Amino acid sequence: MEIEQGSFTLEQLCQEVIDHTESAFEQYHVKHLKFYFYIADEDWNSNFPDRYETQNYGEMTKVSAEYTNRFGAEDRADFFIGPYGDESEIITILTAETQEAIDQALLPMLGRRDDISLMPIMLEDFQRMNELVLEHNDVRITEFKSERVPDLAEAEIRPSVQRSIEYKGRDGKEAIEELRSGYGVVPVRIQYEHQNLSLKIDSRGKFTLKKINSKNFDLLFELVEEVIENVLELKDITQEIRFTEEEVESGNLSITVPKVEAGEVTFDREFTRVLAEDFVEGTRNRDRVDFSFTDVTMQAGSLDFSAQVVDENRNSFFNISATADEMRIVPETNCSFPSLIEFYFCVLQLVDGSAELDLHNSQTAT
Amino acid sequence: MVNIEPPSDLPDHHTSDFRSAYQECIIPKNRDFDREGYKEDLENFIDQEREHRRLINFCVFPFVQSAPEGYQFVRADPLEECGVKNFDFLLHDLEGKVIFGEAKASLPTNVGSEINDLLEQREAVEEWQDYIEENYLGREMVFAEYVLATYDNYATTASRKVLARGEDVKVWGVNRTEKELNIKKSLPDETPDNLPGDDPIAELSKLAKHSIGSLNSALENCETATGAVNVLPESADIDQLRVITRAYSSRGRDTFIGRLDIRREIKAGARNYGSERIDEITDELIELGQEIGLLRDWEDGPSDYRVVSQYTSRKGIEKTLKKKWKEHKVKERYSKMQEACREYARKKVGEQTQLSEF
């Protein structure tokens, strides 16, 4: 993307794109602006210069990296990265690059950092976003992807089957409802079309603007505002889930004692052995998320499930033990909040869309 | 034909006698050796060990999370370095009150010998009290309590047996499905005769409970979890080897690990152990890893050792570890048989020698 160097906030940069659309998108075939939202630690940007060529654009930074394009030639991809408004813990990345450039140059690197996590949008929040867009008259849904989430939708047809449906057609709005009642699927990605509006939202924190005008941008930010509170709360919780070692004085000795602040996922539906098995299988190499389960106990009969979980992208370790109602998460020394956020997102998608994450409140606390 | 080298001091003319005696011994032994059955036993052993580790973790978790009455987890396998039969975990309130805990993932109906073991361990603690105070507590031991922890299905029986013998041992029961820890106070049907005091039942109830009242209430329906501590030093060799499945790295098809990675993991599993002991454990573990064929020296490689596996994933390496360990155990068992047959053959040839001398 070509934007003359200057000092920009995210908002100002978006305005610049609107004001100079032609020059900003000059080198691209289509004028699609992609926004990726991430949750991050405060000093997330300190490491960017290590891997990328960077240019200062005020609050925003332009980062560039090499990648191999579809013709096998070396090419350069540009991204603009900066905080989302006053929220220094939310990062926004803007780019007009192709998906292959993003997949090569941006996402793998972000997916391995232990101070940055994708911004998952809870499916209920996602539904709210959808309703918000539909409040604009005559908005059409032209494309969507829906997945089976049992506790969010009843299914008339083979309710126990896990499924994912992608749909294209002018009647998306109706089709979403039809597929929801028939197959029990709820949307995780939706594309909207209107006279001045063309927008795609994705529950994994990705937004695409296909028409560059202020109305479209306003709508996008309005949607983000809708979910940001929950996202920040999630970050706070996952950051508290920690394993530490404390040096304590014991008489004339100094000894190390382990201290754990555990997390707990509370299920809204019964967590069964079948769900546990699907979950273990489903979290491997899934949309850039890769969790391994080792030392797994899964007894026959009633559920007795525990395992050590490794986030292979970040080499981050934690342990889980689950009952039919809850899953306790016990972190290890090298457990980072992005791993927990992505893990929780997997729970939401694969087990229970209404599962809630909180700190484990110990009954033994005195 | 079984190929076996006779002992070097055996006269040459006895070689064929020795060979045939050996053969006569090893062939039926080999035929009767149920390798698959043995592997199944080993698989069960792996499961039992995992349950044991889990049980220790279930017991320790509340103390790692919130330190009820100040009790904290300070060490797994106390007295391990002294070569003394000992408990699985030590909790300390940092003021001299301690709890020694023994975890038994399964118990026979007659818990007698397990209780005896526990009493022996308790004696060892008393014998080594000075050492424990100096090296683990840093102060005088005010009082010690002893815990037998087990899964719920054994806990009631265990508690009754302990109390029927009038022993001052607390029983903790862990419910695996509910992930809950409870202090068991099941009174026996018969009261022991030798109990002091006028009210034996009251005495028994006292024995069943911890002397700090609020600790008892903390251990009622206490939610728990696994994974708070790695208990390494005294666990079975297969469990120790799991360190490799945790700490290895991979690049492309290569999987590898350095001595320092292994040491780091061991240090985390042997908290409050001296660095010399940690080095020792590290060396033993590497040697074991090489012996079973999971580790191979990697000269000029990016790291000290190659992790030998056709898989690169963690699950795959875990699978390889189990497989190699089981194969190693089978080989070990077979070498023992070979050894026994060698001795048999030797003796047999010796007998003949003596006969011919007459």
Side-chain angles (χ1 to χ4, degrees):
Chain A
M1 229 161 50
E2 284 305 320
I3 289 176
E4 236 171 88
Q5 201 164 358
S7 183
F8 297 102
T9 60
L10 172 65
E11 204 182 346
Q12 288 164 342
L13 192 82
C14 291
Q15 191 58 51
E16 190 71 13
V17 174
I18 296 169
D19 294 346
H20 303 96
T21 309
E22 288 310 317
S23 58
F25 287 97
E26 207 167 14
Q27 47 180 323
Y28 302 94
H29 302 300
V30 283
K31 296 188 185 73
H32 285 185
L33 187 57
K34 292 157 191 155
F35 285 78
Y36 286 84
F37 287 87
Y38 278 82
I39 310 176
D41 258 348
E42 303 250 345
D43 55 351
W44 57 269
N45 56 359
S46 55
N47 288 327
F48 272 96
D50 295 353
R51 289 279 309 268
Y52 294 93
E53 207 181 296
T54 60
Q55 265 181 295
N56 186 352
Y57 274 68
E59 272 190 22
M60 303 300 290
T61 306
K62 180 181 179 178
V63 301
S64 309
E66 301 282 314
Y67 78 102
T68 311
N69 68 21
R70 72 181 70 177
F71 308 109
E74 284 289 294
D75 212 335
R76 217 176 91 109
D78 299 326
F79 310 97
F80 287 89
I81 303 183
Y84 174 78
D86 297 334
E87 304 291 354
S88 55
E89 294 162 293
I90 303 280
I91 311 175
T92 317
I93 302 175
L94 277 72
T95 184
E97 298 293 343
T98 57
Q99 197 59 42
E100 68 202 71
I102 296 167
D103 284 344
Q104 279 181 48
L106 184 74
L107 300 182
M109 192 279 297
L110 290 173
R112 279 194 291 271
R113 286 180 58 143
D114 59 12
D115 57 349
I116 294 181
S117 133
L118 58 88
M119 185 181 89
I121 298 165
M122 309 303 125
L123 290 181
E124 281 169 0
D125 282 354
F126 197 72
Q127 308 299 316
R128 281 219 320 277
M129 284 171 47
N130 179 34
E131 283 157 22
L132 213 93
V133 182
L134 295 178
E135 279 173 16
H136 293 77
N137 289 336
D138 302 331
V139 174
R140 278 202 309 273
I141 293 176
T142 51
E143 259 186 75
F144 65 87
K145 180 183 177 190
S146 284
E147 283 177 3
R148 175 90 181 107
V149 182
D151 55 297
L152 289 188
E154 302 276 332
E156 280 168 20
I157 304 160
R158 294 178 294 280
S160 64
V161 175
Q162 287 279 348
R163 55 171 74 90
S164 165
I165 299 173
E166 291 194 45
Y167 188 89
K168 278 186 190 184
R170 297 167 46 89
D171 61 343
K173 224 190 291 187
E174 292 77 22
I176 281 187
E177 290 313 317
E178 288 155 9
L179 292 176
R180 177 203 280 266
S181 59
Y183 290 98
V185 290
V186 296
V188 295
R189 199 176 70 208
I190 307 175
Q191 179 168 313
Y192 304 96
E193 297 286 350
H194 186 42
Q195 202 173 1
N196 280 318
L197 193 150
S198 179
L199 170 77
K200 192 150 112 182
I201 63 175
D202 185 318
S203 53
R204 294 177 68 78
K206 180 187 173 189
F207 295 77
T208 312
L209 292 191
K210 297 188 169 180
K211 281 189 179 137
I212 306 300
N213 59 48
S214 52
K215 219 176 155 187
N216 229 350
F217 277 90
D218 287 345
L219 177 60
L220 169 89
F221 291 120
E222 194 185 335
L223 295 177
V224 175
E225 286 302 323
E226 195 65 22
V227 300
I228 214 153
E229 196 180 322
N230 279 344
V231 166
L232 289 173
E233 197 186 311
L234 181 61
K235 182 185 173 234
D236 285 347
I237 293 168
T238 48
Q239 272 193 316
E240 289 213 23
I241 299 173
R242 274 189 310 172
F243 181 103
T244 45
E245 283 189 316
E246 268 174 34
E247 284 281 317
V248 293
E249 296 304 314
S250 174
N252 56 22
L253 284 183
S254 170
I255 53 175
T256 331
V257 290
K259 282 265 162 262
V260 157
E261 185 69 69
E264 182 156 283
V265 175
T266 314
F267 299 117
D268 201 37
R269 60 195 292 235
E270 193 191 350
F271 187 51
T272 60
R273 192 195 149 105
V274 175
L275 280 171
E277 278 168 4
D278 287 350
F279 180 60
V280 167
E281 286 309 311
T283 46
R284 175 139 191 81
N285 264 326
R286 175 194 168 82
D287 289 345
R288 295 184 194 91
V289 169
D290 192 1
F291 289 104
S292 289
F293 290 74
T294 58
D295 214 19
V296 179
T297 305
M298 213 184 289
Q299 298 288 349
S302 56
L303 179 81
D304 173 19
F305 177 40
S306 74
Q308 181 177 58
V309 188
V310 187
D311 177 352
E312 295 290 354
N313 291 326
R314 299 184 174 86
N315 230 11
S316 168
F317 287 69
F318 53 95
N319 297 272
I320 52 169
S321 1
T323 68
D325 310 317
E326 289 146 343
M327 181 189 285
R328 269 152 229 160
I329 300 178
V330 179
E332 295 199 29
T333 26
N334 43 357
C335 174
S336 60
F337 81 87
S339 299
L340 295 171
I341 289 181
E342 288 176 11
F343 181 79
Y344 173 52
F345 200 52
C346 286
V347 172
L348 290 176
Q349 291 193 313
L350 295 165
V351 180
D352 179 353
S354 312
E356 282 184 28
L357 177 69
D358 214 328
L359 296 175
H360 171 64
N361 275 324
S362 156
Q363 292 187 346
T364 57
T366 46
Chain B
M1 179 68 196
V2 182
N3 193 13
I4 180 83
E5 223 21 69
S8 56
D9 60 337
L10 195 76
D12 284 351
H13 61 278
H14 283 317
T15 302
S16 65
D17 288 344
F18 177 86
R19 284 203 167 125
S20 58
Y22 175 80
Q23 214 171 329
E24 171 193 310
C25 172
I26 197 79
I27 286 173
K29 265 198 189 335
N30 187 36
R31 191 186 53 220
D32 296 342
F33 179 25
D34 174 9
R35 283 177 170 72
E36 285 318 303
Y38 185 55
K39 280 188 183 171
E40 256 171 50
D41 291 348
L42 291 170
E43 191 68 48
N44 289 337
F45 173 79
I46 294 174
D47 291 345
Q48 279 165 22
E49 285 301 302
R50 188 179 53 225
E51 278 310 320
H52 182 238
R53 260 187 292 130
R54 285 212 314 153
L55 181 58
I56 295 174
N57 262 285
F58 281 134
C59 291
V60 161
F61 175 79
F63 299 92
V64 174
Q65 165 151 288
S66 61
E69 291 308 305
Y71 281 99
Q72 309 197 45
F73 172 79
V74 297
R75 160 180 297 263
D77 301 321
L79 298 178
E80 180 266 356
E81 69 278 24
C82 308
V84 177
K85 198 165 163 29
N86 60 92
F87 286 88
D88 286 319
F89 58 90
L90 170 60
L91 306 173
H92 183 208
D93 76 341
L94 308 183
E95 289 181 352
K97 296 192 272 301
V98 291
I99 292 173
F100 286 90
E102 176 70 20
K104 294 276 181 212
S106 66
L107 284 171
T109 331
N110 181 1
V111 198
S113 72
E114 281 69 18
I115 297 174
N116 291 343
D117 286 352
L118 207 91
L119 300 181
E120 244 175 70
Q121 288 164 218
R122 185 166 76 184
E123 269 171 37
V125 167
E126 283 157 10
E127 212 173 295
W128 289 77
Q129 187 169 339
D130 292 347
Y131 178 90
I132 293 170
E133 289 173 347
E134 194 180 323
N135 294 283
Y136 304 162
L137 312 181
R139 60 167 72 233
E140 215 174 293
M141 199 191 291
V142 178
F143 68 80
E145 290 182 313
Y146 302 90
V147 164
L148 170 62
T150 187
Y151 284 115
D152 244 6
N153 40 335
Y154 306 107
T156 304
T157 321
S159 158
R160 287 201 170 135
K161 291 269 178 187
V162 165
L163 292 174
R165 287 177 52 166
E167 297 298 352
D168 186 5
V169 170
K170 326 295 170 199
V171 173
W172 292 356
V174 168
N175 184 319
R176 271 182 270 223
T177 336
E178 291 304 317
K179 314 284 181 290
E180 256 178 26
L181 175 65
N182 272 298
I183 181 160
K184 283 279 160 192
K185 290 165 290 193
S186 319
L187 296 178
D189 309 329
E190 287 173 52
T191 46
D193 323 323
N194 55 349
L195 269 189
D198 304 330
D199 185 352
I201 295 294
E203 283 303 315
L204 281 180
S205 307
K206 221 164 37 183
L207 283 184
K209 287 189 275 189
H210 286 283
S211 43
I212 300 171
S214 38
L215 184 60
N216 294 306
S217 34
L219 296 176
E220 292 288 350
N221 304 324
C222 172
E223 290 186 352
T224 187
T226 64
V229 294
N230 291 316
V231 281
L232 193 86
E234 291 243 304
S235 34
D237 54 4
I238 173 91
D239 280 346
Q240 298 206 6
L241 287 166
R242 295 192 70 256
V243 160
I244 298 168
T245 66
R246 282 174 59 96
Y248 80 97
S249 306
S250 65
R251 197 182 301 153
R253 295 295 308 162
D254 286 328
T255 44
F256 48 88
I257 193 165
R259 187 179 188 282
L260 285 180
D261 302 321
I262 296 176
R263 194 183 187 283
R264 188 189 59 235
E265 288 295 322
I266 288 175
K267 193 160 180 272
R271 193 169 281 104
N272 291 316
Y273 274 63
S275 65
E276 269 174 36
R277 182 70 191 116
I278 290 173
D279 282 328
E280 260 172 47
I281 301 175
T282 308
D283 292 337
E284 284 164 18
L285 198 133
I286 290 172
E287 203 179 304
L288 181 65
Q290 290 177 317
E291 213 174 299
I292 73 160
L294 187 66
L295 293 183
R296 195 185 298 148
D297 276 332
W298 199 3
E299 309 235 332
D300 311 321
S303 200
D304 302 337
Y305 307 98
R306 199 186 261 286
V307 178
V308 187
S309 172
Q310 54 171 318
Y311 306 103
T312 55
S313 73
R314 218 167 287 273
K315 209 171 159 187
I317 303 258
E318 192 182 39
K319 205 165 140 186
T320 305
L321 163 63
K322 277 191 195 169
K323 189 167 163 250
K324 284 186 185 283
W325 180 80
K326 284 188 281 186
E327 278 163 6
H328 173 73
K329 286 279 165 189
V330 168
K331 259 191 221 156
E332 219 175 54
R333 181 83 175 254
Y334 185 70
S335 342
K336 273 195 190 143
M337 277 161 39
Q338 280 182 314
E339 204 37 59
C341 288
R342 272 168 166 279
E343 265 174 45
Y344 165 83
R346 180 70 208 238
K347 227 167 132 191
K348 193 117 200 228
V349 175
E351 275 166 16
Q352 284 166 358
T353 314
Q354 279 167 10
L355 277 177
S356 64
E357 273 168 4
F358 267 101

